[in-house]
């Protein structure tokens, strides 16, 4: 019979790798809480309207990458392609604004996009994201950027480029859009078919096009930075001063346009100088209008998300170990016969209750096979229990790293093992 496999662009996380993810998630949680961010979890699927309204109908994500399906009642549902819209939906629904002040939220979880699969581009991938909600000033932008950069550094990643831009707001952006239309219209026929469409609807996305021709044509295009109004310009300049004060290096990239429509003012992206084509490790920006677009009160906010698979690709390529250790049992108990098996059951239970990780044979294997298994698992200590040990109450506890043995009663194992940790 043909075996059933994972869907293209999705991965199993196998037990031999899960400790790395657990470590990364623990580091991320600890960094997030250091910066005062608290976890939020929202459902994997939501009403399709949330994303089409939130992210923008014309974006690649909404127009061609969403996993959308009708449920049995005929409602249109979508597997979340990102979580900013979901978090804001939750913020509005649960009136989190009533808690007062700034809400600092983070999440870790799977996202779904029907993309062309390649290295670093999956259909189910994982993000760590943060949203700093109800914070208007550039200090919040600096806060989330600092959290991102400091966390990547905690993983050992420093060969990164942080690019920042301002994409303006609802006052200055329309003027800039018009300037782009005026610039590109005479060369419209030379633009790629996608960008010909963008010229009318969203000309800023032309700046982001991967096609060589569009990139060349965009070279002399006007810069958004010349069109920012006073408010956006001051915001952007203050952000730069704050980043300077934090000693966070950045490059101003006036061509940086992110693939989601909700951004206003600050947009940023972190790329790895060690990754190939899919080199965006993370990105984010400010989205002051999103909450009102979703039916809530105006709530200026800023956030980012990092792709965890991309983080792992870099760690792997650079052979970096941020501090994870593959878990091994503290103790393997090899059992000689049925009597030993019966007697050991409660000993094992007690040791586990006291906090040791204890392994033993569940397959009635020979002593030799059990010792081989202890070795394979990398157990730190091994003890063999047979009738002789049971009658004397003394057991030979062997430290597998040093090869030394101690003869001890059961009551002293925990202490002996802890001592040598
Ligand atoms: P995004 O740029 O679409 O932003 O995604 C953020 C990161 O998720 C990317 O930089 C990348 O590392 C990872 N990523 C995206 N798509 C894939 C994929 N198909 N396979 C693997 N990794 C991927 C957002 O999602 C925004 N919600 C970020 C944000 C939060 N903005 C404000 N708050």
């Amino acid at each position: 019979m043909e075996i059933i496999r994972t869907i293209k662009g999705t991965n199993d996380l196998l037990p031999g790798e899960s400790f790395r993810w657990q470590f990364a998630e623990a580091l991320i949680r600890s960094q997030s809480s250091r910066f005062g961010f608290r976890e939020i979890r929202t459902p994997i699927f939501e009403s399709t309207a949330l994303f089409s309204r939130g992210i923008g109908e014309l974006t690649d994500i909404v127009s061609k990458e969403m996993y959308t399906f009708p449920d049995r009642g005929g409602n249109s549902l979508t597997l979340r392609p990102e979580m900013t819209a979901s978090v804001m939906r939750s913020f509005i629904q649960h009136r989190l604004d009533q808690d007062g002040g700034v809400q600092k939220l983070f999440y870790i979880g799977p996202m779904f996009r029907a993309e062309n699969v390649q290295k670093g581009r999956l259909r189910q991938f994982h993000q760590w994201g943060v949203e700093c909600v109800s914070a208007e000033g550039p200090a919040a932008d600096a806060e989330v950027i600092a959290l991102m950069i400091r966390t990547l550094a905690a993983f050992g990643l420093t060969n990164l480029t942080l690019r920042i831009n301002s994409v303006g707001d609802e006052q200055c952006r329309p003027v800039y859009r018009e300037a782009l239309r005026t610039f590109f219209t005479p060369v419209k026929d030379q633009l790629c078919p996608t960008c010909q469409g963008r010229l009318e609807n969203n000309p800023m996305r032309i700046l982001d096009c991967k096609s060589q021709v569009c990139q060349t044509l965009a070279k002399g295009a006007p810069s958004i930075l010349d069109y920012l109004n006073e408010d956006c310009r001051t915001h952007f300049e203050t952000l730069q001063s704050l980043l300077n004060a934090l000693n966070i290096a950045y490059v101003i990239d006036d061509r940086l346009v992110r693939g989601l429509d909700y951004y206003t003012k600050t947009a940023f992206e972190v790329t790895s100088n060690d990754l190939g084509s899919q080199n965006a490790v993370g990105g984010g920006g400010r989205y002051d209008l999103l909450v009102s677009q979703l039916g809530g009160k105006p709530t200026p906010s800023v956030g980012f998300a990092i792709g965890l698979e991309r983080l792992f690709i870099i760690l792997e390529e650079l052979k970096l170990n941020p501090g994870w250790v593959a878990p091994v049992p503290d103790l393997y108990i090899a059992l000689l016969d049925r009597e030993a098996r019966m007697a050991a059951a409660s000993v094992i239970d007690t040791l586990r209750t006291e906090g040791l990780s204890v392994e033993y044979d569940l397959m009635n294997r020979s002593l030799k096979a059990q010792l081989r298994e202890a070795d394979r698992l990398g157990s730190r200590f091994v003890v063999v229990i047979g009738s002789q040990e049971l009658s004397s109450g003394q057991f030979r506890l062997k430290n597998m790293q040093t090869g030394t043995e101690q003869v001890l009663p059961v009551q002293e194992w925990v202490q002996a093992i802890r001592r040598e940790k």
Side-chain angles (χ1 to χ4, degrees):
M1 209 196 299
E2 201 186 321
I3 59 163
I4 299 168
R5 296 182 171 276
T6 46
I7 305 296
K8 188 176 171 197
T10 71
N11 288 324
D12 292 318
L13 178 59
L14 300 175
E17 300 158 40
S18 52
F19 72 96
R20 295 199 178 93
W21 279 74
Q22 288 165 355
F23 177 92
E25 288 170 12
L27 182 53
I28 284 169
R29 281 172 203 285
S30 127
Q31 286 286 125
S32 301
S33 87
R34 231 182 250 196
F35 279 71
F37 285 76
R38 295 179 303 156
E39 185 171 8
I40 181 164
R41 299 187 190 190
T42 61
I44 300 280
F45 58 90
E46 300 261 6
S47 291
T48 302
L50 172 64
F51 302 114
S52 46
R53 233 200 282 169
I55 302 171
E57 296 277 5
L58 298 173
T59 57
D60 285 355
I61 296 180
V62 173
S63 64
K64 46 187 192 205
E65 293 170 0
M66 294 210 300
Y67 282 103
T68 296
F69 54 95
D71 72 1
R72 286 166 198 276
N75 305 302
S76 181
L77 306 181
T78 292
L79 300 184
R80 64 184 187 203
E82 62 108 48
M83 235 176 100
T84 309
S86 308
V87 171
M88 292 309 120
R89 194 254 325 120
S90 179
F91 178 86
I92 299 166
Q93 182 177 337
H94 301 289
R95 317 255 357 228
L96 296 185
D97 60 315
Q98 289 188 334
D99 291 356
V102 174
Q103 293 279 329
K104 293 166 142 190
L105 308 167
F106 81 91
Y107 47 85
I108 301 173
M111 311 293 156
F112 306 85
R113 296 184 194 174
E115 301 207 64
N116 289 328
V117 176
Q118 48 179 280
K119 193 168 186 194
R121 192 190 279 180
L122 297 160
R123 292 187 174 164
Q124 174 172 340
F125 59 97
H126 296 76
Q127 283 185 346
W128 163 47
V130 317
E131 312 296 349
C132 186
V133 189
S134 306
E136 194 169 10
D141 309 31
E143 168 96 333
V144 298
I145 291 175
L147 171 54
M148 183 176 187
I149 297 295
R150 299 302 180 227
T151 304
L152 291 169
F155 276 99
L157 302 186
T158 47
N159 190 13
L160 305 165
T161 303
L162 166 66
R163 292 180 302 130
I164 61 171
N165 192 19
S166 175
V167 293
D169 63 11
E170 76 275 33
Q171 281 154 11
C172 55
R173 196 160 29 193
V175 186
Y176 177 59
R177 283 213 181 106
E178 208 38 57
L180 285 180
R181 280 194 199 101
T182 310
F183 176 83
F184 283 114
T185 302
V187 291
K188 181 175 178 186
D189 298 345
Q190 295 169 51
L191 291 169
C192 77
T194 320
C195 284
Q196 292 190 12
R198 286 172 172 161
L199 186 55
E200 203 34 58
N201 305 320
N202 196 354
M204 283 171 76
R205 289 302 310 279
I206 301 175
L207 303 176
D208 199 32
C209 182
K210 299 283 169 285
S211 131
Q212 201 54 53
V213 183
C214 296
Q215 276 186 12
T216 311
L217 288 173
K219 279 216 171 93
S223 165
I224 177 84
L225 300 180
D226 295 328
Y227 286 78
L228 296 181
N229 60 22
E230 190 56 33
D231 182 27
C232 293
R233 182 170 323 118
T234 314
H235 189 101
F236 194 45
E237 284 170 3
T238 313
L239 170 61
Q240 291 167 45
S241 308
L242 287 165
L243 293 177
N244 293 339
L246 286 166
N247 242 332
I248 294 177
Y250 58 85
V251 175
I252 296 175
D253 179 357
D254 63 0
R255 294 293 192 259
L256 176 69
V257 184
R258 306 244 317 121
L260 303 103
D261 277 354
Y262 49 59
Y263 293 113
T264 48
K265 294 184 177 163
T266 312
F268 58 90
E269 219 157 73
V270 169
T271 47
S272 160
N273 307 330
D274 303 308
L275 269 190
S277 57
Q278 297 305 315
N279 66 349
V281 185
R286 178 162 278 286
Y287 49 94
D288 292 347
L289 306 176
L290 177 58
V291 176
S292 35
Q293 272 158 16
L294 295 175
K297 289 194 233 131
T299 310
S301 306
V302 58
F304 70 78
I306 277 184
L308 295 183
E309 283 82 1
R310 295 201 188 164
L311 176 71
F312 275 97
I313 291 174
I314 313 175
L315 292 173
E316 214 161 276
E317 275 177 15
L318 300 180
K319 302 206 171 6
L320 285 177
N321 178 342
W324 53 52
V325 192
V328 294
D330 292 316
L331 176 64
Y332 189 95
I333 301 186
L335 302 161
L336 278 183
D337 50 32
R338 197 181 129 73
E339 191 197 349
R341 283 182 186 278
M342 297 309 285
S346 80
V347 173
I348 291 166
D349 194 44
T350 308
L351 294 172
R352 285 173 172 166
T353 306
E354 289 180 22
L356 291 187
S357 85
V358 185
E359 275 283 16
Y360 69 106
D361 171 56
L362 291 173
M363 295 172 74
N364 277 323
R365 284 183 283 198
S366 68
L367 178 63
K368 200 169 154 202
Q370 291 181 54
L371 294 177
R372 216 181 302 125
E373 177 69 357
D375 200 39
R376 191 185 69 80
L377 293 172
S379 186
R380 297 174 51 232
F381 287 81
V382 170
V383 75
V384 178
I385 302 186
S387 49
Q388 204 186 324
E389 287 80 6
L390 286 174
S391 59
S392 70
Q394 295 288 331
F395 303 82
R396 213 172 271 281
L397 187 67
K398 182 171 180 185
N399 181 328
M400 300 304 283
Q401 277 135 32
T402 60
T404 51
E405 292 185 342
Q406 288 169 277
V407 178
L408 297 171
V410 174
Q411 298 74 16
E412 290 175 31
W413 292 1
V414 173
Q415 229 191 355
I417 290 175
R418 288 251 162 83
R419 226 182 0 246
E420 290 180 45
K421 257 210 164 151

